[in-house]
Amino acid sequence: MFESTVKMWVFEEIINGRKLTDIINQDHENVKYLPGHKLPRNVVAVPNVKEAAEGADILVFVIPHQFIPKICEELTGNVKNGAIGISLIKGIDEGPDGLKLISDIIREKLKIEVSVLMGANIANEVADDMFCETTIGCKNPASGKIFKELIQTSNFRIAVVEDCDTVELCGALKNIVAVGAGFCDGLGFGDNTKAAVIRLGLMEMIAFAKLFCKGTVTLETFLESCGIADLITTCYGGRNRKVAEAFACGEKTIEQLEKEMLNGQKLQGPQTSAEVYKILKQKKLIDKFPLFVNIYLICYKGKSVKEFVTCLQNHPHHM
């Protein structure tokens, strides 16, 4: 049913005197972003995004969310008619009417149908073929079947749900909560406090989705891998938690820590908190989301991280 060669667009950079695309195509390893894991030989790195997408029936989007508008512009007019997309990108944007999902940007710019895949899927564990689940949000059952057929393995189990906006929002918002979990770790709070952050974070995720999703929000979606499972794994592992812990321990800014700790990867949590803050401010809803708002204020507005616990103590869910 599927072509055997998978073309993968790779942002070209030089590593130890060699092009990253050459390293991937000759040694079958992405030494920068997934070192120590062999990539299958049918995955071919291509430095030109138009060439990578040429003739493709299925486009998979997996890049930091701040780069998506530029990449879509490059692809405009170069996408096969009838192609379908699936986005693994965890982030949101602020549009003129408030919330804009990353899948919306892709849909608008490329005029294709876009589904989303989100779940408790920390990359190196997936690469090691450890068992995990994921959630595909897809409004079109025929496309859902194709994606499941393409991506599912015995160790990567997929549930397809229709509620794709909620699936995508879970993926974006849980990174903000993970920053809060990292603050707990950096401040030396225990697992009870972190559990409270996870629970209150989940409550704010649900409330946010109910306010801003275009379609119906089904509560069951939060019990899928994209919801509670991804939230837990990100609050205990993951780079947002790790950087937030370092931030709570020291004097450095989020931007400095991102440069020092992440080897070129991007943090999504703090940036998503900034987008969420703008949307909540526009809609005069800041008081309803103390966890999201305080994480933004601590990351970017100089609020002391030591005050983080007060937003937990005085959370409206306790009133």
Side-chain angles (χ1 to χ4, degrees):
M1 187 174 175
F2 301 105
E3 299 258 341
S4 62
T5 301
V6 177
K7 289 189 281 186
M8 172 173 72
W9 173 63
V10 170
F11 181 76
E12 191 67 281
E13 44 195 311
I14 303 296
I15 293 169
N16 299 330
R18 292 173 72 196
K19 289 179 176 175
L20 183 55
T21 50
D22 289 344
I23 297 171
I24 291 171
N25 292 334
Q26 290 159 16
D27 305 347
H28 307 288
E29 185 184 344
N30 187 332
V31 290
K32 179 153 188 191
Y33 295 115
L34 199 63
H37 298 278
K38 281 287 178 220
L39 296 171
R41 288 174 173 271
N42 64 321
V43 175
V44 177
V46 179
N48 179 309
V49 74
K50 288 178 192 166
E51 196 187 313
E54 196 181 349
D57 297 296
I58 298 174
L59 300 171
V60 183
F61 295 86
V62 203
I63 56 175
H65 76 274
Q66 51 270 47
F67 302 134
I68 203 71
K70 184 176 170 292
I71 289 302
C72 286
E73 268 155 41
E74 286 186 45
L75 284 174
T76 305
N78 292 285
V79 172
K80 185 175 174 177
N81 270 346
I84 55 174
I86 188 163
S87 168
L88 282 65
I89 299 170
K90 296 179 171 176
I92 53 174
D93 212 351
E94 183 214 9
D97 310 320
L99 179 74
K100 197 160 201 182
L101 296 168
I102 302 303
S103 62
D104 289 333
I105 299 174
I106 302 170
R107 271 183 212 108
E108 278 170 28
K109 291 199 185 284
L110 300 183
K111 310 281 184 280
I112 59 172
E113 176 197 303
V114 183
S115 301
V116 294
L117 182 151
M118 308 275 155
N121 307 139
I122 289 174
N124 55 342
E125 295 181 18
V126 176
D128 276 333
D129 209 20
M130 293 181 189
F131 177 84
C132 66
E133 305 171 308
T134 203
T135 314
I136 289 180
C138 183
K139 288 194 170 80
N140 176 349
S143 302
K145 255 181 134 140
I146 290 170
F147 287 128
K148 189 164 182 166
E149 180 91 7
L150 175 65
I151 300 168
Q152 181 161 271
T153 69
S154 57
N155 277 332
F156 194 81
R157 306 308 288 177
I158 290 170
V160 181
V161 301
E162 250 183 68
D163 185 8
C164 54
D165 289 357
T166 307
V167 172
E168 187 169 0
L169 262 186
C170 282
L173 297 174
K174 55 100 197 183
N175 282 330
I176 306 178
V177 186
V179 173
F183 291 162
C184 284
D185 293 340
L187 294 164
F189 299 149
D191 283 339
N192 295 341
T193 313
K194 202 195 271 199
V197 168
I198 292 171
R199 188 190 78 82
L200 293 167
L202 180 63
M203 300 298 270
E204 289 194 15
M205 284 166 63
I206 294 168
F208 191 93
K210 283 181 173 170
L211 280 168
F212 292 101
C213 275
K214 297 181 291 290
T216 321
V217 172
T218 37
L219 218 50
E220 282 81 16
T221 306
F222 293 93
L223 301 178
E224 295 289 346
S225 182
C226 61
I228 190 70
D230 198 9
L231 181 60
I232 291 168
T233 196
T234 314
C235 286
Y236 278 92
R239 52 191 174 214
N240 290 284
R241 188 216 60 80
K242 186 171 79 170
V243 173
E245 179 180 24
F247 177 84
C249 291
E251 301 298 311
K252 292 179 175 169
T253 66
I254 288 287
E255 289 85 352
Q256 283 171 316
L257 292 166
E258 183 180 58
K259 278 200 180 71
E260 283 173 27
M261 295 173 72
L262 293 186
N263 183 33
Q265 284 186 309
K266 294 287 176 225
L267 263 194
Q268 309 285 203
Q271 201 174 345
T272 306
S273 78
E275 303 291 356
V276 163
Y277 182 80
K278 281 186 226 160
I279 293 164
L280 291 174
K281 197 170 179 188
Q282 186 193 336
K283 302 282 184 199
K284 301 187 170 49
L285 288 166
I286 279 177
D287 300 348
K288 300 265 188 284
F289 295 87
L291 190 72
F292 289 172
V293 166
N294 277 282
I295 286 165
Y296 163 73
L297 295 174
I298 291 165
C299 285
Y300 294 115
K301 292 290 168 196
K303 185 167 185 171
S304 168
V305 71
K306 296 192 171 51
E307 288 179 50
F308 178 60
V309 77
T310 58
C311 84
L312 305 177
Q313 292 162 335
N314 303 320
H315 201 282
H317 281 289
H318 300 141
M319 302 304 175

